């Protein structure tokens, strides 16, 4: 009987229960990779790609992005890590771990023949209940004075930073982060906080500028004669080139009288002098431009005690505009006072190996810049990522200001609540919700494992504490320092509740998505025509092939 | 695949490498077999408990869905007979928007039953005539099964709309249909024109933003544009809008020209006049009362500078279709040249603001009261494939609404109708001879 070819040559299909199990295996394998990065004692991963770039990171989303996974089911995990990063900023390792655990708990049921739809339904119910519980347990920091808020936010930031590379200096950085976020105010756009990296020195030398700072740009002759420090200067921001060159490319000058030649040359010089004059007349003491400022202009300004910098990066220029209240001009005609910016102090300082231009004391003050110092490039890059996470956390906490106890406390509490609830349900979903609750315990368990403590012991103690009917054990979590349990709330180990609820939601969605797939079809790429003719009639249980990841 | 050993006959007349199958054994049964396989694949996706399929198409894009039309589309079916099934599913999708899975599974089942009849010796043409009789009778019976009182329906009544739409959405996304159908119904009702029959599904847009969860989905009366506003003004309320289909820039000639300068003064004034020209144009736009400029092409830097000076907000919409929809939403007519717009060319919006949703900046155009012709459902979800699937669910819902507007009669779902039809058809068959 000749075979019937239904699909294109080179198509790869797998189907049935085996497929589902192999998908789950792939996802568990991925979760294992990031497992050890969780928590304050988590380890970092060093990844180098074929271009030779080396990245050291603890951040789940970064690692997932760099892993370059091909297995389609595991790719879903990468997606949720990315979405957690963009929505909340932190908790990316948590979300991958949770998704992996949900699937691991589901595996025995699937192998026993439970229809995945039942699992999905119960998981969704459990997720909903968990989110409600988080809302109940969250503590609000709304309505407190600014000082109190600042200290609360600093504690949240410190919790985030404690699991990262710069955790050693978390108090120092936490207060920096909180100051920066409060500086950008309500109109918060993330790119208004600039992070500049300068190798050299050590972490402690990093500082926060309540204004803008950027590296000195390329400068022409005459630069050194310009004054480098101003008090209360007016600042002019330009988007044009101050150079002696032709106005338009396709201009041609045709003369009939050679004596006119001199007047043309004079005219060209006049144009540029005119422009420079207008800049000076506006009263500005500092001139910044996105395009180049030529040597003629630099010397002209130097003669008149004006500082100028050309080829400033777009981002930096925007930040200066926002901070000083000026607007970027595309023409020097008609410069009115309100487009000029002001600040208290402008100066050029030497930081490490570089010279930086620093604007501080800006009136509208809607920006901040953090200058990072450190030993190695990778180190500083990781520090930047960690700070980014912390900044996102503080922003979220500022917006919906509810926090929950960290250190695995909230997970244990939800787990207990779900187990209790499950007992009230008659039917199969009781088992599923139970396994969902068990999966949630992976967070405190992993925290202990990473720290080298005996997980079983600690978890038992935690369970007992949480089962106390008075509810006083609700905020007990893992204590990293002693290897026992402690009240996370009073120890200031906090997380914004939005991190946890988003993580649980995303992990549940991903788990449900993977459970709901019973067939995978991979079409051949449009460029490569060949591939085994694996497209033969798949009218039965295909032996699922997990791609790219080793099977458990 | 019968590779005939006869070099003469039809084989030698046709081109090299072709396959020729004929006769009962080869053609008919093999075709039926192929179609059966296809319908087996899609069968498990039917209904709310249907399983999803993960398909990676030839461009390496991942689809996780249970929408049969999408699945068979991406499957790249080779077998010609099975392709017919695919086309049938597609036709159903284009015409009605939902029920593609029903089509394919039903067709597969019909063929399977036909196969048994063929094996018992019945001639295919007899089967065809039998089936044709059956379909006419079925349609008659279907008329009788329509729910009483559902002929007339107020398409703007939300509960009625939701009750009809829920089943369609539930079969795509079980468990989320309450929230989703409520949003879809909102969006559709807002967009419904005076004559419901003219409802255009294109007016309900879907905007997908990664991040958050489904509960954060909202409906916005107006449009959501991806991307930031160009220029420094990020928020404007109750503004008049001017739309320019081409870019906002000083015009440059197509032909290669050279500017001939004869004297020194001309050189000096050259740059100035260009600037002045642009300023004049922008000033003219500002004078007409517009506070927002929407450009279909690039915005020149000089122009942008003057827009900021005159406090005009600038938006850039690169897609022609988006621009057209924007014009519909706000009631603007697009101008082709940068010149002063006339008062009736201008449109009106309630507010335009740049917001940050899920880590990306989007521009939200709100147009609350009357005459708003476009509504947008903002979908949130954690992965791209989830968002794509939600979009398909929304599409199904909107198409259901469109069908509702045309013909609002309903029949009971969940296979109740099918079983009733089967029973009545069986009675009818006993009365037939032959």
């Amino acid at each position: 009987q000749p075979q019937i070819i239904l699909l294109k040559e080179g198509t790869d299909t797998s189907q049935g229960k085996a497929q589902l199990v192999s998908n789950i295996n792939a996802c568990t394998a991925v979760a294992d990779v990031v497992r050890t990065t969780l928590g304050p004692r988590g380890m970092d991963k060093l990844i180098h790609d074929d271009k030779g770039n080396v990245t050291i990171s603890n951040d789940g989303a970064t690692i997932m992005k760099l892993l370059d996974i091909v297995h389609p089911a595991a790719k879903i995990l990468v997606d949720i890590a990315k979405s957690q990063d963009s929505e909340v900023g932190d908790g990316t390792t948590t979300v991958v771990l949770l998704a992996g655990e949900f699937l691991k708990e589901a595996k025995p049921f699937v192998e026993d023949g439970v229809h995945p739809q039942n699992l999905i339904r119960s998981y969704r119910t459990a997720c909903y209940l968990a989110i409600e519980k988080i809302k109940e347990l969250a503590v609000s920091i709304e309505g407190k004075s600014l000082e109190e808020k600042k200290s609360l936010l600093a504690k949240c930031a410190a919790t985030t930073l404690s699991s990262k590379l710069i955790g050693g200096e978390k108090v120092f950085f936490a207060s920096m982060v909180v100051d920066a976020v409060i500086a950008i105010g309500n109109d918060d756009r993330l790119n208004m906080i600039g992070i500049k990296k300068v190798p050299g020195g050590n972490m402690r030398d990093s500082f926060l500028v309540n204004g803008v700072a950027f590296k000195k740009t390329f400068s022409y002759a005459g630069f050194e004669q310009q004054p480098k420090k101003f008090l209360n200067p007016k600042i002019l921001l330009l988007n044009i080139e101050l150079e002696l060159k032709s106005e338009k490319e396709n201009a041609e000058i045709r003369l009939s009288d050679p004596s006119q030649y001199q007047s043309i040359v004079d005219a060209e010089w006049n144009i540029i002098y005119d422009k420079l004059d207008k800049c000076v007349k506006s009263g500005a003491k500092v001139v910044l431009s996105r395009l180049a400022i030529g040597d003629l202009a630099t010397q002209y300004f130097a003669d008149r005690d004006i500082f100028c910098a050309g080829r400033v990066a777009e981002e930096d220029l925007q930040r200066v505009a926002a901070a000083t209240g000026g607007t970027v001009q595309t023409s020097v005609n008609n410069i009115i006072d309100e487009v000029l910016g002001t600040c208290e102090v402008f100066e050029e300082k030497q930081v490490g190996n570089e010279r930086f231009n620093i604007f501080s004391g800006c009136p509208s003050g809607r920006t901040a810049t953090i200058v990072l110092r450190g030993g190695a490039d990778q180190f500083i890059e990781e520090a930047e990522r960690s700070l980014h996470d912390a900044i996102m956390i503080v922003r979220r906490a500022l917006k919906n200001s509810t926090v929950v106890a960290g250190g695995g406390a909230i997970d244990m509490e939800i787990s207990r609540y779900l187990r209790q609830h499950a007992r009230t349900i008659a039917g199969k979903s009781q088992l599923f919700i139970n396994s969902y609750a068990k999966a949630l315990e992976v967070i405190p368990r992993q925290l202990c494992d990473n720290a080298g403590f005996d997980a079983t012991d600690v978890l038992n103690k935690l369970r007992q504490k949480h089962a106390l009917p008075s509810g006083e054990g609700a905020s007990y979590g893992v204590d990293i320092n002693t290897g026992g349990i402690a009240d996370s709330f009073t120890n200031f180990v906090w997380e914004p509740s939005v991190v946890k609820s988003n993580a649980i939601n995303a992990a549940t969605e991903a788990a449900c998505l993977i459970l709901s797939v019973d067939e995978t079809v991979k079409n051949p790429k449009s460029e490569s025509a060949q591939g085994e003719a694996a497209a033969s009639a798949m009218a039965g249980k295909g032996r699922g092939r997990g791609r790219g990841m080793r099977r458990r | 695949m019968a590779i005939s050993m006869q070099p003469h006959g039809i084989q030698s007349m046709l081109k090299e490498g072709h396959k020729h199958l004929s006769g009962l054994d080869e053609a008919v049964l093999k075709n039926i077999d192929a179609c059966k396989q296809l319908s087996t694949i899609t069968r498990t996706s039917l209904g709310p408990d249907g399983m999803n399929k993960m398909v990676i198409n030839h461009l390496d894009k991942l689809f996780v869905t249970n929408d049969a039309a999408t699945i068979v589309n991406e499957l790249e079916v080779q077998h010609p007979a099975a392709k017919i099934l695919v086309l049938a599913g597609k036709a159903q999708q284009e015409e009605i928007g939902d029920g593609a899975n029903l089509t394919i599974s039903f067709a597969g089942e019909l063929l399977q039953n036909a196969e048994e009849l063929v094996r018992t010796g019945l001639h295919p043409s007899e089967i065809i005539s039998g089936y044709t009789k059956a379909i006419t009778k079925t349609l008659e019976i279907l008329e009788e099964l329509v729910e009483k009182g559902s002929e007339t329906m107020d398409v703007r009544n939300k509960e009625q709309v939701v009750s009809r739409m829920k089943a369609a959405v539930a079969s795509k996304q079980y468990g989320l249909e309450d929230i989703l159908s409520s949003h879809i119904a909102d969006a559709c009702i807002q967009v419904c024109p005076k004559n419901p029959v003219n409802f255009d599904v294109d007016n309900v847009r879907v905007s997908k933003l990664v991040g958050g969860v489904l509960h954060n989905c909202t409906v916005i009366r107006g449009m959501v544009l991806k991307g930031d506003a160009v220029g420094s003004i990020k928020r404007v309320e109750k503004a008049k809008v001017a739309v320019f289909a081409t870019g906002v820039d000083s015009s440059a000639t197509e032909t290669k020209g050279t500017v001939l300068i004869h004297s020194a003064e001309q050189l000096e004034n050259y740059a100035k006049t260009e600037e002045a020209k642009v300023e004049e144009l922008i000033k003219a736009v500002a004078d007409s009362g517009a506070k927002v400029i929407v450009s279909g092409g690039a915005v020149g830097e000089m122009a942008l500078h003057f827009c900021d000076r005159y406090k005009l907000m600038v938006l850039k919409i690169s897609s022609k279709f988006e621009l057209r929809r924007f014009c519909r939403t706000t009631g603007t007519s697009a101008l082709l040249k940068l010149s002063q717009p006339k008062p009736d060319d201008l449109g009106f919006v309630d507010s335009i603001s740049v917001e940050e949703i899920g880590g990306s900046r989007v521009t939200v155009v709100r147009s609350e009261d009357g005459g708003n012709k476009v509504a947008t459902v903002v979908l949130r979800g954690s992965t791209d494939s989830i968002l794509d699937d939600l979009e398909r669910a929304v599409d199904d819902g909107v198409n259901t609404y469109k069908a509702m507007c045309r013909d609002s009669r309903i029949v009971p779902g969940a296979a109740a109708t099918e079983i009733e039809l089967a029973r009545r058809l069986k009675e009818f068959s006993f009365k037939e001879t032959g």
Side-chain angles (χ1 to χ4, degrees):
Chain A
Q1 272 286 357
Q3 283 180 334
I4 302 166
I5 302 183
L6 182 62
L7 302 169
K8 204 168 183 175
E9 270 208 34
T11 315
D12 209 353
T13 79
S14 14
Q15 194 187 55
K17 199 159 65 172
Q19 156 79 118
L20 192 49
V21 172
S22 104
N23 278 346
I24 296 182
N25 285 338
C27 293
T28 355
V30 171
D32 276 343
V33 171
V34 288
R35 194 176 283 259
T36 52
T37 63
L38 189 68
R41 296 278 184 271
M43 310 287 265
D44 302 333
K45 303 272 174 277
L46 190 156
I47 304 172
H48 75 101
D49 60 14
D50 48 2
K51 293 194 205 79
N53 296 334
V54 173
T55 318
I56 302 181
S57 181
N58 177 290
D59 179 31
T62 318
I63 299 174
M64 300 291 279
K65 264 185 261 186
L66 292 169
L67 272 183
D68 208 8
I69 299 179
V70 285
H71 192 283
K75 265 208 201 151
I76 296 186
L77 289 183
V78 175
D79 276 342
I80 55 171
K82 267 196 252 177
S83 94
Q84 175 84 351
D85 199 23
S86 63
E87 179 73 9
V88 179
D90 193 30
T92 48
T93 312
T94 312
V95 74
V96 175
L97 265 187
L98 278 178
E101 275 307 301
F102 290 151
L103 287 172
K104 196 158 84 159
E105 293 293 328
K107 190 155 88 151
F109 291 124
V110 167
E111 279 170 350
D112 279 341
V114 173
H115 196 282
Q117 286 290 352
N118 294 339
L119 281 167
I120 295 178
R121 230 173 290 158
S122 322
Y123 273 14
R124 286 223 176 106
T125 334
C127 173
Y128 180 70
L129 291 168
I131 306 288
E132 293 294 309
K133 190 75 181 152
I134 292 184
K135 284 198 204 143
E136 260 185 57
L137 291 171
V139 171
S140 171
I141 61 172
E142 200 56 51
K144 301 227 169 89
S145 69
L146 190 61
E147 273 312 309
E148 277 200 47
K149 255 195 186 157
K150 268 172 92 164
S151 76
L152 299 178
L153 290 172
K155 307 229 174 51
C156 283
T159 314
T160 310
L161 290 172
S162 65
S163 74
K164 310 273 191 300
L165 199 56
I166 54 179
E169 299 289 347
K170 62 185 183 187
V171 177
F172 174 64
F173 281 111
S175 59
M176 209 194 278
V177 165
V178 175
D179 284 333
V181 174
I182 293 200
I184 60 173
N186 281 335
D187 187 33
D188 64 346
R189 300 168 54 182
L190 196 55
N191 59 356
M192 282 298 150
I193 299 185
I195 302 187
K196 299 286 174 207
K197 305 184 266 229
V198 184
N202 61 40
M203 278 195 290
R204 278 243 157 218
D205 291 337
S206 317
F207 57 91
L208 171 70
V209 175
N210 222 325
V212 189
F214 54 87
K215 283 198 186 107
K216 174 178 100 82
T217 56
F218 184 78
S219 56
Y220 288 91
F223 183 71
E224 291 306 320
Q225 273 72 35
Q226 291 175 349
K228 299 293 190 299
K229 181 163 172 152
F230 288 99
L231 295 171
N232 288 322
K234 287 216 182 112
I235 303 169
L236 177 62
L237 305 163
L238 293 175
N239 192 6
I240 54 177
E241 230 176 1
L242 291 177
E243 279 243 19
L244 177 64
K245 60 194 266 278
S246 66
E247 281 297 318
K248 269 279 181 314
E249 302 303 307
N250 57 352
E252 191 187 283
I253 306 186
R254 209 173 274 187
L255 297 171
S256 40
D257 182 2
S259 62
Q260 285 207 347
Y261 194 67
Q262 180 62 34
S263 60
I264 300 287
V265 173
D266 282 340
E268 280 195 337
W269 284 85
N270 276 342
I271 295 179
I272 177 100
Y273 276 136
D274 199 37
K275 278 199 196 144
L276 297 175
D277 227 5
K278 292 216 177 84
C279 295
V280 174
K281 270 215 218 73
S282 67
K285 284 288 183 204
V286 176
V287 176
L288 299 177
S289 169
R290 191 141 54 95
L291 303 169
I293 296 188
D295 37 2
L296 174 65
T298 313
Q299 286 158 17
Y300 189 89
F301 285 137
D303 285 338
R304 286 159 187 70
D305 282 342
I306 300 180
F307 177 86
C308 70
R311 295 224 188 96
V312 179
E314 168 81 22
E315 235 190 39
D316 291 326
L317 206 63
Q318 292 292 343
R319 265 188 237 124
V320 176
T324 59
T327 34
V328 180
Q329 300 294 301
T330 316
S331 142
V332 285
N333 298 332
N334 200 6
I335 297 180
I336 44 185
D337 235 3
E338 63 173 22
V339 301
L340 297 176
T342 56
C343 75
E344 269 178 23
V345 181
F346 166 77
E347 60 179 337
E348 194 189 80
K349 263 208 316 220
Q350 177 100 9
V351 177
N353 206 7
E354 308 264 343
R355 297 190 68 88
F356 266 74
N357 300 324
I358 304 186
F359 296 78
S360 44
C362 300
S364 355
R366 287 198 331 259
T367 65
T369 311
I370 300 180
V371 178
L372 282 177
R373 317 292 316 281
D377 265 343
Q378 281 87 11
F379 191 83
I380 303 183
E381 272 183 32
E382 174 64 7
E384 182 189 6
R385 278 191 288 268
S386 319
L387 280 184
H388 173 263
D389 278 2
I391 292 176
M392 293 286 278
I393 286 282
V394 175
R395 276 174 75 208
R396 288 273 169 252
L398 209 50
K399 274 214 198 109
N400 39 12
S401 43
T402 49
V403 296
V404 292
I410 186 77
D411 314 272
M412 289 303 295
E413 185 59 21
I414 302 179
S415 175
R416 176 196 67 82
Y417 168 69
L418 283 177
R419 269 192 230 263
Q420 260 181 340
H421 182 90
R423 277 188 218 120
T424 62
I425 304 177
K428 280 197 276 250
S429 36
Q430 185 191 107
L431 289 166
F432 306 146
I433 298 193
N434 243 331
S435 62
Y436 188 93
K438 184 145 166 275
L440 280 174
E441 285 180 7
V442 70
I443 302 286
R445 193 177 332 132
Q446 198 57 44
L447 285 174
C448 297
D449 274 343
N450 287 348
F453 302 135
D454 185 355
T456 336
D457 226 5
V458 177
L459 236 62
N460 285 336
K461 283 197 211 144
L462 270 181
R463 249 183 243 130
Q464 187 260 345
K465 223 25 191 219
H466 279 269
L468 288 176
S470 58
E472 67 178 36
S475 49
Y476 268 75
V478 178
D479 185 349
I480 283 297
N481 297 324
T482 62
I485 61 174
D487 188 341
S488 307
F489 221 78
T490 48
N491 279 346
F492 301 124
V493 180
W494 295 349
E495 300 188 318
S497 56
V498 63
V499 175
K500 266 286 157 351
S501 44
N502 217 20
I504 293 185
N505 253 325
T508 315
E509 269 188 29
C512 291
L513 192 64
I514 297 182
L515 282 174
S516 71
V517 174
D518 72 338
E519 175 154 358
T520 310
V521 178
K522 187 173 185 345
N523 282 333
K525 280 222 202 17
S526 50
E527 305 92 3
S528 57
Q530 69 272 29
E532 276 79 50
S536 46
M538 280 303 242
K541 299 153 231 154
R543 192 91 182 88
R545 253 160 300 175
R547 224 179 317 265
M549 287 288 152
R550 65 196 193 292
R551 289 179 68 135
R552 239 332 147 91
Chain B
M1 200 177 355
I3 303 176
S4 288
M5 275 313 160
Q6 38 207 101
H8 48 272
I10 201 142
Q11 288 294 94
S12 56
M13 282 194 277
L14 300 170
K15 207 158 142 186
E16 196 65 49
H18 75 282
K19 294 199 195 81
H20 177 232
L21 314 156
S22 74
L24 208 56
D25 261 335
E26 297 163 13
V28 180
L29 289 177
K30 291 277 179 319
N31 287 344
I32 294 183
D33 216 1
C35 295
K36 257 197 325 189
Q37 279 173 36
L38 185 64
S39 91
T40 333
I41 294 182
T42 56
R43 200 178 287 230
T44 55
S45 307
L46 192 59
D49 279 331
M51 303 288 276
N52 292 339
K53 306 268 174 294
M54 200 187 276
V55 182
I56 304 176
N57 73 355
H58 65 109
L59 298 167
D60 250 1
K61 182 157 191 261
L62 178 68
F63 291 85
V64 179
T65 173
N66 68 0
D67 179 26
T70 318
I71 298 172
V72 295
N73 229 347
E74 300 300 331
L75 271 186
E76 290 190 29
V77 179
Q78 285 280 78
H79 195 280
K83 264 203 192 155
I84 298 186
L85 238 58
V86 173
L87 290 172
K90 260 201 231 177
Q92 172 78 352
Q93 179 77 7
E94 308 259 325
E95 178 70 15
I96 305 290
D98 194 16
N101 206 342
L102 176 62
T103 321
I104 300 184
S105 307
F106 188 47
E109 194 62 21
L110 280 175
L111 286 171
Q112 184 163 351
N113 291 348
E115 184 183 11
E116 292 164 17
L117 293 174
V118 163
R119 283 195 201 275
T120 59
L122 214 51
H123 195 277
S125 58
E126 292 180 356
I127 304 183
I128 294 178
S129 72
Y131 273 178
T132 327
K133 268 203 206 144
I135 187 69
T136 1
K137 187 71 188 161
T138 312
L139 288 175
E140 278 176 35
I141 307 179
L142 198 56
E143 299 276 324
E144 295 166 25
L145 288 178
V146 169
E147 287 268 335
K148 299 285 172 295
S150 63
E151 291 90 35
T152 55
M153 181 194 116
D154 179 12
V155 291
R156 290 170 221 273
N157 182 330
K158 187 163 164 191
E159 278 110 48
Q160 289 187 3
V161 172
V162 170
S163 68
R164 281 170 171 78
M165 204 188 279
K166 247 205 225 176
V169 176
S171 74
K172 284 281 167 336
Q173 299 281 343
Y174 184 59
L176 307 168
E177 71 267 11
D178 282 317
I179 312 170
L180 258 187
S181 31
S182 152
H183 284 315
I184 304 176
D186 266 333
C188 292
I189 294 177
Q190 282 172 24
V191 174
C192 192
K194 296 237 179 5
N195 189 355
V197 175
N198 293 338
F199 178 73
D200 187 2
V201 298
D202 203 29
N203 286 342
V204 178
R205 310 294 311 147
V206 168
S207 178
K208 297 184 283 205
L209 297 167
V210 179
V213 279
L214 183 65
H215 299 277
N216 303 358
C217 294
T218 46
V219 177
I220 295 187
R221 304 176 85 115
M223 287 180 70
V224 171
L225 305 164
K226 286 220 172 79
D228 210 341
V230 188
S232 49
I233 303 188
K234 305 288 180 193
R235 176 174 209 109
V236 83
E237 312 252 340
K238 299 243 180 299
K240 294 216 180 104
V241 186
V243 175
F244 295 102
T246 51
V248 176
D249 201 354
S250 46
S251 41
T253 55
E254 284 288 336
T255 52
K256 260 201 174 22
T258 358
V259 179
L260 230 48
I261 304 186
H262 286 288
S263 78
E265 295 90 50
Q266 281 188 359
L267 187 57
E268 285 188 18
N269 294 333
Y270 184 67
K272 286 212 198 85
T273 41
E274 278 225 42
E275 271 185 36
K277 201 80 198 311
V278 177
E279 178 171 1
E280 210 182 286
L281 288 170
I282 303 282
K283 189 156 177 303
V285 175
D287 282 341
S288 70
K291 298 263 277 299
V292 182
I293 292 187
V294 175
S295 163
V299 183
E301 298 212 335
M302 196 63 82
L304 191 57
H305 169 245
F306 284 112
C307 289
D308 275 347
R309 186 61 79 83
Y310 286 102
K311 306 272 186 285
L312 298 170
M313 185 176 184
V314 182
L315 288 178
K316 184 158 162 330
I317 301 181
S318 14
S319 151
K320 205 164 51 170
F321 297 106
E322 287 286 317
L323 198 64
R324 230 173 263 165
R325 274 183 221 116
F326 182 84
C327 292
R328 272 214 303 270
T329 325
T330 54
T332 334
S333 19
L335 296 162
L336 290 166
K337 254 177 49 146
L338 185 62
S339 58
Q340 174 158 39
K342 297 194 220 38
D344 39 342
D345 282 340
L346 296 177
F348 182 76
V349 288
D350 272 310
S351 84
I352 303 186
S353 56
V354 176
E355 289 167 17
E356 187 178 322
I357 306 183
S360 57
R361 308 190 72 81
V362 292
T363 314
V364 181
V365 177
R366 282 198 182 79
S367 175
E368 297 284 338
D369 29 84
N372 59 317
K373 297 287 184 288
V374 175
T376 310
V377 180
V378 176
L379 290 176
R380 316 293 313 284
S382 27
T383 66
D384 271 335
S385 18
I386 292 186
L387 285 173
D388 282 340
D389 217 23
L390 284 177
E391 184 186 11
R392 281 186 276 271
V394 170
D395 269 342
D396 274 359
V398 175
N399 281 319
T400 316
Y401 184 81
K402 176 162 158 213
M404 253 187 268
C405 292
R406 275 196 300 200
D407 182 355
S408 65
R409 299 175 298 167
I410 53 176
V411 290
T417 319
E418 280 84 352
I419 296 201
E420 185 62 18
L421 281 172
R423 190 180 65 82
R424 295 216 195 162
L425 213 51
K426 240 204 180 111
E427 290 172 6
F428 175 69
S429 74
F430 290 151
K431 303 192 199 112
E432 288 288 314
T433 56

